[in-house]
Amino acid sequence: MSKSSSVSSSKSLPQSPFPSSEVSQISPPTYLDARYALSRRLVSSSELPSLERGISLLSSLLRAAIDKHGERSVPVACLAYEYGRGLMRGVAVRRDEGE
């Protein structure tokens, strides 16, 4: 065995802690989608109109992910978390504005 082949085999990537079936459910378009990035920025806003746009965008992304992957999938769980976070942030902003 040559020196170069022993070096390349010693630099193998660590094993994923997730079963391969869960990893295959992660949809790169969900995370790379510009709408997802935009919705997260909007949800972080303290301006109510921007925040509501972000929540609406997350809602549509969540519905699409459920249709594509089913309710019990990793992409849906991530989007549901962000959607819930947006709803809670909306409550806090409305409370702070006195609505």
Side-chain angles (χ1 to χ4, degrees):
M1 182 175 352
S2 70
K3 185 178 179 180
S4 64
S5 65
S6 66
V7 170
S8 65
S9 65
S10 66
K11 292 185 177 183
S12 65
L13 296 173
Q15 291 287 38
S16 171
F18 302 106
S20 61
S21 62
E22 285 185 31
V23 173
S24 66
Q25 289 181 8
I26 297 174
S27 174
T30 300
Y31 303 103
L32 299 177
D33 191 325
R35 296 171 301 168
Y36 178 72
L38 174 63
S39 67
R40 290 192 64 194
R41 278 195 308 272
L42 291 171
V43 166
S44 297
S45 173
S46 58
E47 297 176 5
L48 194 55
S50 296
L51 180 61
E52 288 175 342
R53 270 186 52 216
I55 292 169
S56 176
L57 193 51
L58 280 168
S59 174
S60 64
L61 289 170
L62 180 58
R63 275 186 253 122
I66 290 170
D67 290 344
K68 183 175 182 179
H69 302 287
E71 288 182 355
R72 295 182 177 200
S73 65
V74 173
V76 169
C78 294
L79 286 166
Y81 171 80
E82 292 296 335
Y83 178 67
R85 186 176 147 262
L87 291 174
M88 293 302 294
R89 180 129 172 83
V91 168
V93 168
R94 283 185 184 92
R95 182 191 63 220
D96 293 344
E97 288 185 355
E99 284 189 7

